[in-house]
Amino acid sequence: MAAIVLIGAQWGDEGKGKATDLLGGSINWVVRYQGGNNAGHTVVLPSGETFALHLIPSGILTPGVQNVIGNGVVVDPGVLLTELGGLEDRDVDTTGLLISADAHLLMPYHVAIDKVTERFLGNKKIGTTGRGIGPCYQDKIARVGVRVADVLDEKILTQKVEAALELKNQILVKIYNRRALDPAQVVDEVLGQAEGFKHRIADTRLLLNQALERGETVLLEGSQGTLLDVDHGTYPYVTSSNPTAGGAAVGAGIGPNKITTVLGILKAYTTRVGSGPFPTELFDEWGAYLAKTGGEVGVTTGRARRCGWFDAVIARYATRVNGITDYFLTKLDVLSSIDTIPICVAYEVDGERIEDMPMTQTGFHHAKPIYEEMPGWWEDISQCKTFEELPQNAQNYILRLEELSGAHISCIGVGPGRDQTIVRRAIA
Ligand code: IMP
């Protein structure tokens, strides 16, 4: 019996799709447990075909894997159908995708409110993806959300949409000067969309627990990353769910003691999209170099990512709050051909050296990186198959990151392809 959690150790976009895909062969179930179509996973198949997934688990690309959108996810039904259609057009078998009856539906008014709120905040904006994620989770916690199973009962669905819009229409019209939404129209639209996904609705927590009892392996796929977690991230510049490993048990409906491995995904440098503090951010030509060489553009929004050197304070923090047992280090190849590579080993906060995450938001805003320099390498590493084949300086860089991060680096990505991964220690 094994449940493996996959979690981004930084601010998301660490390359989780590649890791899920690598593990696909030994895994029976892949589950998304939080977030929605704010996520973007890119998977490159050996054929060179590239797939960008947003809502659907990346296991969909591995034949025979059962895929689940868990109860912790917020589902935009229009996006779901478009993504399914896109996969089916490319001959991907989607029959194995199930959706939790308890996942929340992301409604058109959530998207509208997300956009107007960001505009209202001006330069204090979060820099959200504009997909309605925050407003949908607000409704979930306020107990006025609409759940996937509600589409099976038109009366209940209508009552819930009417109740939600009673207040939201006032906000849209009176505060933001927008058009009110017609509840009947919203219900009709959702019922129409439900025809395309009704057959996939299931009690996924029961199915997952039964699968674990049968000894099957379940991969719990986190979206975003540790520092975007609403509790453990750089609040308020975070997403509205819990990507950290604890969220996996809640968002899938399994006991935390079923989780045997927590695989952290760690980029060999750091990136961030949206607003908020980022101590190692580079504003010089090196930032532009990492962005260009690493192709650092958001899969979901097409926004340029902010780039900086590796930050070991963050990695240590991620190891702790998630209980990371293994790391998958991605995009090492992006660092080839740099004379010396800086690593942030600690921060200076108001004149004092600190090794761990500052306790306060102010402390993190004031944090200045303290760098150590490692000699770089010039060889092309994209075809390396083992750790020993890597240039000595690349090996040294990895070993130093491992020492600073506090968990074993078990897999190393040396290129975007499915086969461009070095496995130092098997995961599943
Ligand atoms: P939201 O999740 O759309 O509400 O956005 C909140 C914050 O999380 C913003 O800074 C986004 O840029 C960031 N964010 C959301 N999803 C992702 C992701 O998949 N990768 C990186 N950043 C993300």
Side-chain angles (χ1 to χ4, degrees):
M1 180 172 72
I4 301 167
V5 177
L6 191 91
I7 162 77
Q10 295 147 323
W11 276 286
D13 306 315
E14 296 89 354
K16 292 181 285 287
K18 187 168 173 7
T20 314
D21 190 47
L22 171 83
L23 295 168
S26 51
I27 281 180
N28 307 102
W29 298 71
V30 179
V31 185
R32 276 282 307 271
Y33 60 84
Q34 47 68 233
N37 61 297
N38 48 348
H41 291 166
T42 308
V43 181
V44 185
L45 298 187
S47 58
E49 266 190 295
T50 301
F51 289 87
L53 299 167
H54 299 285
L55 201 47
I56 297 177
S58 355
I60 201 80
L61 299 171
T62 307
V65 171
Q66 189 78 45
N67 289 274
V68 170
I69 294 182
N71 57 276
V73 176
V74 290
V75 182
D76 182 325
V79 171
L80 175 70
L81 295 181
T82 306
E83 203 165 315
L84 279 168
L87 289 169
E88 283 156 9
D89 286 348
R90 292 173 72 182
D91 295 325
V92 175
D93 179 9
T94 65
T95 46
L97 176 72
L98 297 174
I99 306 165
S100 165
D102 288 341
H104 277 246
L105 279 180
L106 196 145
M107 310 296 268
Y109 43 86
H110 294 135
V111 181
I113 291 173
D114 194 359
K115 290 190 173 145
V116 288
T117 311
E118 282 283 275
R119 226 168 291 148
F120 185 76
L121 286 171
N123 63 7
K124 292 198 185 64
K125 71 177 182 200
I126 306 294
T128 73
T129 58
R131 302 296 196 264
I133 307 296
C136 187
Y137 278 112
Q138 276 173 38
D139 277 5
K140 172 176 174 173
I141 300 302
R143 297 165 295 189
V144 291
V146 179
R147 297 198 289 180
V148 165
D150 294 331
V151 302
L152 302 174
D153 185 330
E154 185 175 344
K155 198 167 144 217
I156 294 275
L157 179 70
T158 308
Q159 277 173 10
K160 290 194 175 176
V161 172
E162 279 174 356
L165 276 178
E166 215 170 304
L167 176 64
K168 292 207 171 54
N169 273 340
Q170 305 264 359
I171 296 172
L172 282 171
V173 174
K174 295 190 180 151
I175 299 180
Y176 294 118
N177 205 16
R178 302 279 135 170
R179 243 174 359 101
L181 294 168
D182 175 12
Q185 216 175 323
V186 172
V187 169
D188 276 355
E189 193 186 342
V190 173
L191 287 176
Q193 290 165 327
E195 290 308 313
F197 67 83
K198 251 178 15 189
H199 58 290
R200 299 181 186 272
I201 303 175
D203 183 349
T204 55
R205 76 168 75 74
L206 176 64
L207 296 175
L208 289 170
N209 279 290
Q210 288 172 336
L212 287 166
E213 280 158 24
R214 285 195 301 272
E216 293 174 13
T217 304
V218 175
L219 180 70
L220 301 150
E221 181 183 44
S223 300
Q224 290 84 47
T226 302
L227 292 183
L228 288 174
D229 186 284
V230 70
D231 284 277
H232 303 292
T234 47
Y235 192 92
Y237 301 103
V238 293
T239 194
S240 298
S241 63
N242 289 114
T244 47
V250 179
I254 63 164
N257 56 349
K258 300 286 193 305
I259 298 169
T260 47
T261 303
V262 180
L263 177 60
I265 315 298
L266 195 57
K267 210 182 277 193
Y269 50 97
T270 315
T271 62
R272 170 165 207 174
V273 206
S275 320
F278 177 178
T280 64
E281 182 168 15
L282 293 164
F283 299 96
D284 58 8
E285 69 274 19
W286 283 113
Y289 177 86
L290 291 175
K292 184 160 181 282
T293 317
E296 295 298 349
V297 176
V299 179
T300 299
T301 57
R303 287 186 289 177
R305 296 179 185 142
R306 301 155 62 191
C307 295
W309 300 120
F310 185 86
D311 185 334
V313 180
I314 287 174
R316 272 197 292 279
Y317 178 73
T319 305
R320 288 201 185 105
V321 296
N322 294 295
I324 287 171
T325 53
D326 296 80
Y327 271 117
F328 188 137
L329 185 74
T330 58
K331 292 195 154 183
L332 184 67
D333 52 305
V334 174
L335 297 184
S336 298
S337 321
I338 302 178
D339 275 339
T340 48
I341 309 172
I343 302 175
C344 166
V345 293
Y347 297 146
E348 188 196 308
V349 180
D350 301 331
E352 209 182 308
R353 179 186 170 110
I354 63 162
E355 311 283 332
D356 296 304
M357 280 291 273
M359 186 181 76
T360 63
Q361 190 185 343
T362 313
F364 195 59
H365 276 272
H366 290 184
K368 291 196 193 77
I370 298 175
Y371 286 115
E372 175 182 295
E373 304 245 322
M374 297 284 293
W377 60 92
W378 287 265
E379 296 87 338
D380 173 9
I381 60 168
S382 65
Q383 301 309 317
C384 291
K385 300 279 180 252
T386 63
F387 183 70
E388 291 68 32
E389 279 175 46
L390 288 168
Q392 190 57 51
N393 285 350
Q395 292 187 26
N396 293 345
Y397 183 75
I398 294 166
L399 294 174
R400 184 67 182 132
L401 259 44
E402 186 169 81
E403 189 175 31
L404 290 165
S405 308
H408 192 264
I409 295 180
S410 299
C411 304
I412 301 141
V414 291
R418 210 179 210 181
D419 53 348
Q420 288 177 289
T421 296
I422 295 172
V423 180
R424 264 177 96 202
R425 177 165 95 182
I427 302 293

